[in-house]
Every structure is written in structure tokens, then in C-alpha cells.
Amino acid sequence: MKSLEKHILSILIVTLFGITIFMVSHFFAINISPFILFSSIVMVSIYVILSFEIIHRTSIAIFGALILVIASLLFGIIHPKETLHFVIEVIDFNTIGLLLGMMIIVAILGETGVFNWVGVKAIRLSKGNLWKLMLILCVFTAITSMFVDNVTIILLMVPVTISIFRSLKVSPIPFILGQTLASNIGGAATLIGDPPNIIIGSAANIDFNSFFINMAPPIFVTFLLGIVLLKIIFRKELKTIVNISGKFKAIDEKSLIKDKSLLKSCLIILAGVIFFFVIQGSIGIEVSIIALGGAAILLIITRAHVEKVLQEVDWATLIFFAGLFVVVGILEEVGLISLLAKVVLGITGGEPWITFHAVIWMSAIASAFIDNIPFTATMVPIIETLNLSSNIDSTFGHLNISPLWWALALGADLGGNGTLIGSSAGVVAAGISIKYGNKISFIQWFKIGFPFMILTVALGTVILMLTTWLSL
């Protein structure tokens, strides 16, 4: 699409959204303030520009944040002296700290040559069959994402994938997409697998075992569907059998490890970080502190070249997150996200099962376009209020944990697969891919991720509804 066509289409989309907001407010008799209308148009403009890649995502995120901050000052939403405090408050430094810490650990780990070792091992197991290779990578990624934050797994696996397919001279993009989609599904099964789950578990006082027992069945069935969908979506790319009889069979796997001592140190620290992630709910220490602590210890004991390690950190992705958190924080402050929730939930009339489905699909669609971490944080008080409703309490009240919490987790976790910016794992995967010269565009992800998301959420909803109905 030409640049002029992109600009014209962008203007049309934003204009159509403005008209839609006006019609919705008129139909539901909701008084929408000028600033809510303005901020919603800015939000849609940001996502439209991201989708057509008119401006780099980091640039548009921080520029959009700047526009909304200035507008907030002009409309009196933020007091000038409280601007810095507000920005610091809305940026989720726990997420950014987690990413930074794991990026540093992965950068040092990369110096050991272990990624090349894993790549050769995976190629040999697949025997050159790209479908088997996709299956191996996705199953491994999904399972490990259940017990380790899926952002961490993507940080570890994407460099492995790029290493594999650079050697095979095959595009790694289908496999990066496949692993990220699988990671978001796998991470939905446990309390520690995806950041939104940690937020939900903390708010609803849900322990690890309860979360797994309720979420594992729908996630397992959903993952099986996801594997089938990946084979269908990438059928052309996966039908090739690559020849690995040459250099890959001749390689001595042990020789790929450049520094065994460094590898040992990295694995010990990584195991320690993962262990503390697992018990994080018990000790109460934020995941960012655990990750940054592990990174700090690793830098000290390995005496790594700090400047070189920091060059490997994807700063553009971290800044993008910061800008996006400011944008969403302002939208939360003016009540736009809550307004969206109230409009959708108002349609249900308070009927428990309709509300159950509304929470899932609203969360899924919204999380595809708004990072699921701040969205989940916004939804938590809404779910708490809904659980107090007499109709919902009469149906779900005797259960230890309200099914609306599982509905929020399923929608927010799986919905993140819909677009490149819907989940932290997706943003990180795209950032690493660009860094290695393999660009994944917003549209490219959307064409694959959004239908994938719709189908997996639909199946997950059916299974979750059945398991909930059986427990009543």
C-alpha cells in the first residue's frame, strides 16, 4: 500500500471511530466528555499508525503519550506539579524491570554458545522436517511458559529460533510467530505463566494449584487446536524438507559451547531466578526485583563486559512499553476503559452467563489492541463489583472462586495473540526479530494472530463454560 493511501485510510478509520463513539454515547445515553472523545481518537490514531507502520512504534508511542499528557494538562486532568509523579505512577516498572533483567541474563547467556547448541539439537531431532521442528519448538515453548513467565521464555527462545533458521537459510518468521502464540496459550494455564494472571491471583487471592486446576483443561484443549491451526496457516512453509546431511551432522555439539564455566554460572542464576518466580506469591517480592537481582549477581560473578551486555538490551522495546503505559494510564484516568467495560456489561443486563461470555470476549478483543497487563489491572475492580451483583452471586456465589476471574484470565491471556502489541511476549518477540533483521509487521501479525485468537478463544470459552457448569 502506498504512503498516500495509508494516510487517507488512516484518516477514514479515525473519523469512522469518532462517529461510532458519538452513536454509542447517544444510544446508551452516556455523557462522554470532550477529553474522553479526544483521548479515544488519539488512542485509535496510535494503533492505526502502528498497524500501517507509518511511524516507528517506539516513536509513535512516546509521541502519543506526549500529546495526551499535554492535553491532560490543558483539560485540567493532571495538575502541572503532579505530571512527573503521574507518569511514574502509570508506567508499570515491574514489567519493564522484569524485561530488562531477563534481557541482561539472556545477553550473557548468549555469549556461551548455548543457543547454537539448542538449535543443532532441535534440527537433528526434526531430521529436517520443518513441521516437526515447528512442533518441537512450540511444545517446548508452551510447556516452559506454564512455569516461567512467557516473556522470559520468548527472550530465551527467539534467539534460538533465529540461530536455527539462519543456518538453514529459511525464514524464521513463521516459527517466531508460532512460538509466541504457543507461549501465550501455555502461559495462560498457571498463576505465574503470564503477568495478567499474577494480577488476577493477587486480587482474588487465588493460589497456584487452584489456578492450574481451573485453567489447565481449557488451555490444554486450546493448545491442541492452536497446533492444528499453525499447520494449516503455515502449510506452504512447513511442507519443505530441508537437507541436514551436511554440516549439521558433522558438528560436534559439545564444541558449540564456547565457555562451559560461564554457561554453568548462567544456568545456576537462571535456575535461581525461575525458582523465585515460582515461589514469588509466597515471598511477596516483585518479579522485576527477582529478575534485576539475578542480572546484577550474574554481572558480578561473571565479570561480564557491562557496555557490551547493555548494547544487547532492546531499549526501543522498553521505551515503547513505557510510552504505551502512559497512554493507557491516561485513558484509565479519564475513565475511557471503564466506560467501554460498562457499555459492554450493560448489554448483559446482569445475567450471569451472558456476563461470563461478555467478560471473555471484551477482554479478548480489548487485549488484542491494549496491552493485557494494564487492561487486566483496570478490569479487576469491575469484576469485584460484578461479583457483588445479586444475580451473579446467586449463581456463582457458592463457588470458592468466581468464574468471572477465569473468564478475565482466559480472555486477557489468549486475546493478546490477536495483534503484535496485544501481549508483552509479542512485543518482545517482534523487537528481537527486528534486531536480527527479521521484521514482523503489524499487519503481518494481525492476518495470522487475529483469526488464530478468535478460534482459540471460542474453543477455550466452550471448555471453560463446561468445566464451570460441572462445578456448579
Side-chain angles (χ1 to χ4, degrees):
M1 187 181 293
K2 295 180 180 179
S3 178
L4 180 60
E5 293 175 344
K6 288 181 179 180
H7 284 79
I8 293 174
L9 186 55
S10 299
I11 293 171
L12 289 175
I13 292 173
V14 173
T15 303
L16 180 61
F17 176 79
I19 295 172
T20 303
I21 286 289
F22 176 78
M23 293 177 65
V24 168
S25 64
H26 180 73
F27 182 79
F28 287 99
I30 297 174
N31 184 27
I32 296 180
S33 68
F35 186 74
I36 289 181
L37 180 61
F38 173 77
S39 59
S40 63
I41 291 174
V42 171
M43 179 193 72
V44 172
S45 300
I46 291 172
Y47 289 123
V48 169
I49 291 172
L50 280 172
S51 65
F52 292 117
E53 299 180 308
I54 298 171
I55 302 173
H56 190 278
R57 59 179 184 157
T58 302
S59 300
I60 188 57
I62 58 177
F63 182 73
L66 174 64
I67 292 295
L68 286 177
V69 167
I70 293 173
S72 298
L73 292 171
L74 294 176
F75 278 89
I77 303 298
I78 304 174
H79 191 277
K81 292 184 178 180
E82 297 178 354
T83 306
L84 179 60
H85 175 75
F86 176 83
V87 169
I88 293 174
E89 280 287 313
V90 297
I91 294 176
D92 188 349
F93 287 103
N94 192 41
T95 298
I96 293 176
L98 168 64
L99 294 175
L100 177 58
M102 295 312 301
M103 284 178 181
I104 291 173
I105 293 173
V106 170
I108 299 174
L109 186 61
E111 296 295 317
T112 67
V114 68
F115 292 143
N116 290 329
W117 178 85
V118 172
V120 171
K121 199 74 174 177
I123 290 171
R124 288 179 174 176
L125 285 173
S126 70
K127 298 180 180 180
N129 186 311
L130 294 185
W131 162 239
K132 288 183 179 179
L133 190 53
M134 170 74 87
L135 192 60
I136 291 169
L137 293 173
C138 287
V139 169
F140 176 79
T141 303
I143 292 175
T144 51
S145 292
M146 292 169 60
F147 303 100
V148 182
D149 176 69
N150 60 0
V151 174
T152 302
I153 295 302
I154 290 300
L155 282 168
L156 292 169
M157 288 304 300
V158 170
V160 172
T161 303
I162 292 172
S163 174
I164 291 172
F165 293 98
R166 182 175 290 172
S167 300
L168 294 176
K169 297 182 179 179
V170 175
S171 172
I173 291 178
F175 300 86
I176 294 172
L177 283 167
Q179 286 177 94
T180 308
L181 297 174
S183 177
N184 281 330
I185 293 177
T190 68
L191 187 66
I192 60 173
D194 209 1
N197 296 352
I198 298 173
I199 297 172
I200 293 169
S202 176
N205 196 26
I206 303 173
D207 60 63
F208 185 93
N209 292 335
S210 297
F211 201 101
F212 182 77
I213 290 170
N214 284 274
M215 290 298 293
I219 293 306
F220 176 73
V221 177
T222 299
F223 178 71
L224 295 179
L225 172 63
I227 291 295
V228 174
L229 291 175
L230 288 176
K231 188 169 186 179
I232 295 172
I233 293 169
F234 297 116
R235 57 188 178 277
K236 293 182 181 179
E237 293 86 347
L238 298 176
K239 67 180 181 181
T240 305
I241 304 294
V242 296
N243 183 10
I244 64 169
S245 60
K247 61 179 181 178
F248 287 107
K249 287 191 174 181
I251 291 176
D252 178 12
E253 293 178 3
K254 294 181 180 180
S255 67
L256 295 172
I257 305 299
K258 300 175 184 177
D259 190 331
K260 291 183 180 179
S261 176
L262 179 60
L263 176 60
K264 184 178 179 180
S265 298
C266 288
L267 292 179
I268 290 173
I269 295 299
L270 184 59
V273 169
I274 291 172
F275 171 74
F276 281 106
F277 280 165
V278 172
I279 66 169
Q280 186 268 338
S282 301
I283 61 179
I285 300 176
E286 297 288 0
V287 289
S288 59
I289 301 301
I290 295 171
L292 288 170
I297 294 171
L298 193 58
L299 284 169
I300 293 295
I301 65 174
T302 62
R303 297 184 180 181
H305 195 288
V306 177
E307 288 81 2
K308 184 178 180 182
V309 171
L310 293 180
Q311 285 177 356
E312 297 298 316
V313 172
D314 189 355
W315 296 105
T317 295
L318 297 180
I319 295 171
F320 169 73
F321 266 110
L324 202 59
F325 280 131
V326 173
V327 170
V328 175
I330 292 175
L331 298 180
E332 291 179 18
E333 182 71 14
V334 299
L336 178 60
I337 296 177
S338 296
L339 181 63
L340 173 64
K342 290 176 182 177
V343 168
V344 176
L345 295 176
I347 299 173
T348 70
E351 202 285 323
W353 285 110
I354 296 178
T355 303
F356 174 85
H357 289 284
V359 169
I360 291 177
W361 285 103
M362 179 184 64
S363 300
I365 299 299
S367 293
F369 297 96
I370 300 174
D371 186 84
N372 55 14
I373 296 172
F375 175 80
T376 301
T378 303
M379 283 297 297
V380 161
I382 296 175
I383 298 299
E384 290 174 337
T385 302
L386 286 172
N387 285 329
L388 298 175
S389 167
S390 57
N391 288 340
I392 293 175
D393 183 64
S394 64
T395 303
F396 299 145
H398 67 282
L399 297 175
N400 292 329
I401 302 168
S402 170
L404 296 186
W405 292 116
W406 311 129
L408 175 60
L410 183 78
D413 291 343
L414 300 188
N417 277 332
T419 69
L420 183 151
I421 58 175
S423 69
S424 301
V427 173
V428 169
I432 297 174
S433 300
I434 292 174
K435 192 173 183 179
Y436 285 89
N438 298 282
K439 185 179 181 181
I440 303 176
S441 69
F442 186 98
I443 293 297
Q444 185 179 11
W445 189 298
F446 183 83
K447 287 179 179 178
I448 294 168
F450 202 80
F452 183 96
M453 180 271 288
I454 293 294
L455 292 173
T456 52
V457 170
L459 180 60
T461 299
V462 172
I463 303 301
L464 182 60
M465 182 178 66
L466 289 174
T467 56
T468 302
W469 181 76
L470 290 173
S471 66
L472 289 175

